[in-house]
Amino acid sequence: MWELISAGGWLMLPILLSSVIAVAIIIERLWTLRTSRIAPPNLLGQVWRWVKDGQLDAVKLKTLRADSPLGEILAAGLANARHGREIMKECIQEAASKVIHEMERYLNTLGTIAAITPLLGLLGTVIGMIDVFSAIMTQGTGNTGVLAGGISKALITTAAGLTVAIPALFFHRFFVRRVDELVVSMEQEATRLVEVMQGNRDVEGAPQPEPVPLRAGNGRKGA
C-alpha cells in the first residue's frame, strides 16, 4: 500500500486527506440524519396530549426544543400559537431555517471533495505523462523503467482520485435526498400542528389544505 502511495507522488497526499475527511463526514452524517433523531415518530401526538391535558408549560417546551430538530420546530410554533396562524407559521419557518442549516452541515464539503478529487487525479495523470515525455526527450525510448514509472504515477493518481470521488458523490446525493425527505416529513407535522392549534381539529384527522413550507420560497434542492 505504501509503495503505491509513494509511487503516486505528492498529489497522493491531498487525495488521501480528502478521503479521510470524506469518511469522517459520511459517518457523522449517517449518525446525525437518522429519522428517529430528526423527526421521532408520534412526537406530535405526544405534544397534542400535553395540550389537551393542560400540561404544556415552559419546562415541557424547553424539553421539546432540546429533544430533536422536529421538536425545536414544533416548540417554536407552540410558543407563538396565541398570536395567530400567520405569526405561528413565521416562527415555525424561522426555526426550520436553523434546523435545515444544521441538517445540511458538511454536505457542501462532501460535494467539493467529490468534485476535486478526480481533478487531482487528472493532474497527477498530466504530471506523470510530462515525466514520461521528459524521459523520452533526455534518454530516448530505451529506458523502460523510467517510462513505466511515469505511466505508473499517472494511473495511480487517477485511480486514487476516482476511488475517493465515487463514494463521496454517492453519499453526497444520498444525504441531499435524505434531508429533502426529512424536510417534507417535518413540513407535514408542522402543518398538522398549525391546523390543530388554530383550526381546533383533531391530530389524527387533521387535513392539510395549506402546507407550511419550511424552506424559503418552498424550494428544495434537487437530488
Side-chain angles (χ1 to χ4, degrees):
M1 179 62 70
W2 175 250
E3 288 77 9
L4 287 175
I5 295 173
S6 59
W10 64 269
L11 277 171
M12 290 295 291
L13 294 178
I15 292 175
L16 287 175
L17 179 61
S18 297
S19 69
V20 172
I21 295 173
V23 169
I25 292 173
I26 289 168
I27 293 174
E28 190 275 340
R29 288 292 91 184
L30 283 173
W31 177 259
T32 300
L33 295 178
R34 291 170 294 139
T35 302
S36 60
R37 177 189 174 276
I38 300 295
N42 304 318
L43 180 61
L44 182 59
Q46 180 184 23
V47 170
W48 184 236
R49 285 193 295 271
W50 289 346
V51 173
K52 289 195 298 184
D53 297 341
Q55 298 177 353
L56 189 65
D57 53 17
V59 175
K60 284 283 198 302
L61 281 177
K62 184 178 180 181
T63 302
L64 180 64
R65 189 174 287 111
D67 180 64
S68 64
L70 176 58
E72 184 174 351
I73 292 173
L74 298 182
L78 289 167
N80 296 274
R82 64 184 181 278
H83 299 302
R85 181 186 298 266
E86 293 305 316
I87 298 298
M88 188 177 179
K89 283 184 177 181
E90 289 178 7
C91 294
I92 286 175
Q93 289 168 345
E94 289 176 3
S97 65
K98 174 179 176 294
V99 166
I100 294 172
H101 177 74
E102 291 296 319
M103 290 167 59
E104 292 176 339
R105 179 183 291 181
Y106 307 130
L107 296 191
N108 283 340
T109 302
L110 188 61
T112 301
I113 289 173
I116 66 171
T117 45
L119 298 179
L120 290 173
L122 179 60
L123 180 58
T125 299
V126 173
I127 293 174
M129 295 311 296
I130 290 173
D131 291 342
V132 170
F133 286 111
S134 297
I136 291 175
M137 290 177 62
T138 58
Q139 304 179 30
T141 58
N143 193 338
T144 57
V146 174
L147 299 180
I151 295 172
S152 174
K153 180 186 295 185
L155 296 177
I156 289 172
T157 54
T158 301
L162 292 175
T163 300
V164 176
I166 291 171
L169 178 61
F170 170 81
F171 278 103
H172 177 262
R173 291 182 176 271
F174 172 79
F175 290 135
V176 168
R177 182 63 179 173
R178 171 70 66 86
V179 170
D180 283 343
E181 291 174 350
L182 290 170
V183 168
V184 170
S185 175
M186 291 190 295
E187 255 180 26
Q188 294 172 347
E189 296 294 277
T191 299
R192 294 171 66 191
L193 177 68
V194 172
E195 290 302 311
V196 299
M197 295 300 295
Q198 301 297 331
N200 296 320
R201 295 181 174 89
D202 183 75
V203 168
E204 299 301 327
Q208 299 178 19
E210 185 182 350
V212 179
L214 300 187
R215 289 190 190 272
N218 200 26
R220 297 191 180 90
K221 294 182 179 179

